[in-house]
Amino acid sequence: FASSVYLVTEALLIAGNENQKQEYLPRLADGGLIGGFAMAEGVGVPTPETIATTFKDGKVNGTKKPILDGDVADFVIVVAKTDDAANGSLSLALVDLNGEGIRRKKVDTVDPTRSHAEITFDNASGQLLGGEGEGWPLTEKVLDRAAIYVAFEQVGGAQASLDMAVDYVQNRFAF
């Protein structure tokens, strides 16, 4: 749910064209598709300078890890370089994980409650999401919106815990 709604749905709402929205949003909403957001490329905080994955001529090349729900996702949105400059401009590419040039490997993380994967793209077909070179500002918007969803999730969990504790205290009988 988090990968599909917090990240992918928001990316499509922010940057998707009408065809992409019509194709993906209804199926994400009804659970028919699982999406992933492929930004990190290993240990450390991803920045425009650390992104090595490329997206040129409709093809994605590189490795992303960890990707939340990447082991079960039907497609991912990939943050990738779109030119040869040392810290080249970044774009977002939408990649169907059932296509050719995709290798997935499940990876363990410190959170055993959520699955993650490493995905290697070898000339995998992708389509531009948003404008070319707009990848990093779009990614920042997606992450800002996802932070709000995570906060809502935490508030809901805290409220449920408080409700259970109050209920227990009010109904507890000693001996």
Side-chain angles (χ1 to χ4, degrees), residues 86-108:
N87 59 353
S89 65
L90 301 175
S91 297
L92 300 181
L94 197 151
V95 179
D96 181 346
L97 294 178
N98 297 310
E100 293 184 20
I102 306 290
R103 287 190 317 276
R104 294 194 237 199
K105 180 173 77 173
K106 188 172 173 128
V107 296
D108 293 325

Side-chain angles (χ1 to χ4, degrees), residues 4 13 28 41 68-70 84 94 100-101 104 120 125 158:
S4 293
L13 288 170
L28 285 165
E41 296 186 358
L68 178 61
D69 294 325
D84 293 324
L94 197 151
E100 293 184 20
R104 294 194 237 199
T120 300
S125 293

Side-chain angles (χ1 to χ4, degrees), residues 80 82-83 89-92 128 130-138:
T82 49
D83 67 33
S89 65
L90 301 175
S91 297
L92 300 181
L128 186 64
E132 187 168 326
E134 297 176 0
W136 196 251
L138 291 172

Side-chain angles (χ1 to χ4, degrees), residues 3-20:
S3 61
S4 293
V5 175
Y6 299 4
L7 298 166
V8 173
T9 298
E10 288 301 320
L12 285 163
L13 288 170
I14 292 168
N17 63 38
E18 286 309 310
N19 290 338
Q20 291 166 332

Side-chain angles (χ1 to χ4, degrees), residues 44-145:
V45 177
T47 66
E49 295 76 29
T50 63
I51 301 295
T53 300
T54 61
F55 177 51
K56 295 178 186 173
D57 301 321
K59 300 294 182 184
V60 178
N61 287 286
T63 300
K64 295 288 191 176
K65 70 175 177 183
I67 301 169
L68 178 61
D69 294 325
D71 57 327
V72 294
D74 299 295
F75 71 101
V76 290
I77 295 172
V78 180
V79 181
K81 277 187 185 181
T82 49
D83 67 33
D84 293 324
N87 59 353
S89 65
L90 301 175
S91 297
L92 300 181
L94 197 151
V95 179
D96 181 346
L97 294 178
N98 297 310
E100 293 184 20
I102 306 290
R103 287 190 317 276
R104 294 194 237 199
K105 180 173 77 173
K106 188 172 173 128
V107 296
D108 293 325
T109 66
V110 295
D111 184 356
T113 66
R114 298 186 184 196
S115 66
H116 292 79
E118 171 182 300
I119 301 178
T120 300
F121 305 93
D122 184 13
N123 282 322
S125 293
Q127 56 181 292
L128 186 64
L129 185 69
E132 187 168 326
E134 297 176 0
W136 196 251
L138 291 172
T139 297
E140 288 178 322
K141 285 182 184 178
V142 168
L143 295 177
D144 287 346
R145 290 182 180 199

